[in-house]
Amino acid sequence: MDIQNLDDKHIWHPYTQYATSPKPLVVESAKGARINTTDGNSIIDAVASWWVNIHGHSNERLAAAVHKQFLNLEHVIFAGFTHDAATGLAESLLPLLPGKPDRLFFSDNGSTAVEVGVKMALQYFYNKGEGHKNQVICFEEAFHGETFGGMALSGDLEFNKPYESKLFDVLRIPAPIGERAKESREQLEELLKSGNVAAFLFEPLVLGTAGMLMYDPEVLSDLIALARSYGALCIADEVMTGFGRTGTLFACDQSTEKPDIIAMSKGLTGGSMPMGLTSCPEFLFEAFISEDKMKTFFHGHSYTGNPLACAVAIESLKMLTEQKCQSDIERIVSSHKAFAQKHENNPKFKEIRQCGTILALEYQTGEKTSYFNSKRDQLYNFFIERGVLLRPLGNVIYILPPYCISDEELISVYEAIEASLNINW
Ligand SMILES: *Cc1c(COP(=O)(O)O)cnc(C)c1O
């Protein structure tokens, strides 16, 4: 049987409504910013394969790092054992993180990296005998993952409705987008006054899944400072914004106030292997050291600290900090800026937003901005037919490319977007 038929029979794809979606395209190979399908097409990966890919596909340096590591040590239990892949990653990454944290905790994906951060914060207060501090404040529009913790921490997303009754309570404030910044700050302070808040969790500068909603670094600094003044720990979910995406290495490099805890995943291994990381400062770690076994951090996944993922993360980070990649990021930032300026006054767009290498274009559709906006599927198919992978979030189109994307490829993406403006809905 051919691949498509086998897939049709045995595989269940993520975020896919089988009644209306076309069959998945079969990928033969991928190189750089291109995905090559078995039907002979070459598609520009303008969303970095769900925001993970930063150096392009099938990168030789990343492949060599995995190969070398595999021949030496592919995996070992991470309780009671350690290895130079993990310590090497800590040594290269920690000094580059906002606020220069001291320690890394390993997990497998973005959702678990965030959950680990929240568990650390809750148990920090519990261990200190301040168990009443057990509330978490999140944005109403937040997205923090797919697991039950991730869903609970995320805002009222339509797709989490079936599980709603099983999700734990969190406190919510509006994200500080545009005019809502003042309201967001006021509500944060009101909630902090209870003295029961353990953590303030946020996506710094860009709320991705909510539709690439953006806010300023000054606003972020102000919220962090406020939460800290009431003794709450600040957790930055840098899962999407990390590793150069916002133009700086991390989004929180742009705010003057730094978070206590940082969750990372997507760009971490250059888009090649699943891994999550949560960083924290020494004072937090120290609250878990005790003769009392109950103060232990009882968390760990089977593949915690996987050496292959660590080795590829070290190489990816090295590439990211090299001049070549830094100028690629700058090139994408200016290219996006020029495209945004060109369409500044185009009435077909309700708003155009940019943060670093992310460009978001909100279409004027007369319908409410939402993930379920009916234009979404039509737009997706329109772009695929033109050899460009863009996954609209409702009526918001965004470009979030691998940094190795060429100028010509970027132009093709912009041209496909311009062509879509002439669709007769
Ligand atoms: C994607 C994402 C997550 C979840 O990461 P997974 O690896 O999909 O579990 C969490 N937070 C943010 C901000 C994300 O973009």
Side-chain angles (χ1 to χ4, degrees), residues 386-412:
R386 273 155 194 79
V388 177
L389 170 56
L390 287 167
R391 278 183 70 91
L393 293 158
N395 59 328
V396 178
I397 299 283
Y398 64 90
I399 312 174
L400 194 153
Y403 307 144
C404 67
I405 192 169
S406 69
D407 286 335
E408 294 70 34
E409 285 163 340
L410 266 178
I411 289 169
S412 302

Side-chain angles (χ1 to χ4, degrees), residues 66-190:
V66 178
H67 183 82
K68 184 162 170 248
Q69 181 62 47
F70 203 114
L71 295 174
N72 195 48
L73 170 69
E74 86 305 347
H75 185 67
V76 66
I77 178 172
F78 206 53
F81 292 86
T82 192
H83 44 74
D84 68 346
T87 55
L89 178 57
E91 231 184 343
S92 6
L93 181 60
L94 285 168
L96 299 177
L97 289 175
K100 301 207 174 14
D102 301 285
R103 283 184 192 267
L104 290 180
F105 192 93
F106 293 80
S107 60
D108 305 338
N109 56 66
S111 311
T112 54
V114 174
E115 288 197 23
V116 164
V118 172
K119 282 178 75 171
M120 277 177 178
L122 291 173
Q123 196 176 344
Y124 167 77
F125 289 111
Y126 178 89
N127 283 359
K128 292 206 312 165
E130 296 173 60
H132 64 279
K133 291 188 114 176
N134 61 5
Q135 306 268 28
V136 183
I137 301 179
C138 304
F139 291 143
E140 282 161 14
E141 303 83 349
F143 178 79
H144 295 296
E146 311 283 337
T147 53
F148 273 85
M151 288 192 289
L153 298 161
S154 299
D156 265 338
L157 292 166
E158 302 273 353
F159 37 77
N160 290 339
K161 277 251 160 19
Y163 328 106
E164 211 169 61
S165 66
K166 300 287 175 264
L167 303 181
F168 58 80
D169 284 335
V170 303
L171 303 173
R172 299 211 180 274
I173 58 169
I177 312 297
E179 288 161 6
R180 295 196 82 185
K182 187 161 167 278
E183 193 186 341
S184 179
R185 189 187 196 285
E186 284 168 4
Q187 290 193 23
L188 178 62
E189 181 147 36
E190 208 42 51

Side-chain angles (χ1 to χ4, degrees), residues 51 109-111 114 143-146 203 209 237 239-240 265-266:
W51 319 348
N109 56 66
S111 311
V114 174
F143 178 79
H144 295 296
E146 311 283 337
E203 291 159 89
T209 303
D237 178 350
V239 170
M240 188 277 280
S265 183
K266 289 188 169 119

Side-chain angles (χ1 to χ4, degrees), residues 7 21 31 70 83 90 107 211 218 259 267 280 293 332 390 406 415:
D7 183 284
S21 297
K31 190 80 189 167
F70 203 114
H83 44 74
S107 60
E218 297 74 39
C280 77
K293 280 228 154 107
I332 296 168
L390 287 167
S406 69
E415 283 175 355

Side-chain angles (χ1 to χ4, degrees), residues 11 16 28 33 53 66 91 116 142 154 171 227 246 259 265 269 301 307 331 334 371 373 383 390-392 401 407 413:
I11 291 176
T16 301
E28 188 168 83
N53 193 299
V66 178
E91 231 184 343
V116 164
S154 299
L171 303 173
T246 65
S265 183
T269 63
H301 301 273
R331 178 175 57 84
S334 353
Y371 188 86
N373 190 294
F383 292 127
L390 287 167
R391 278 183 70 91
D407 286 335
V413 178

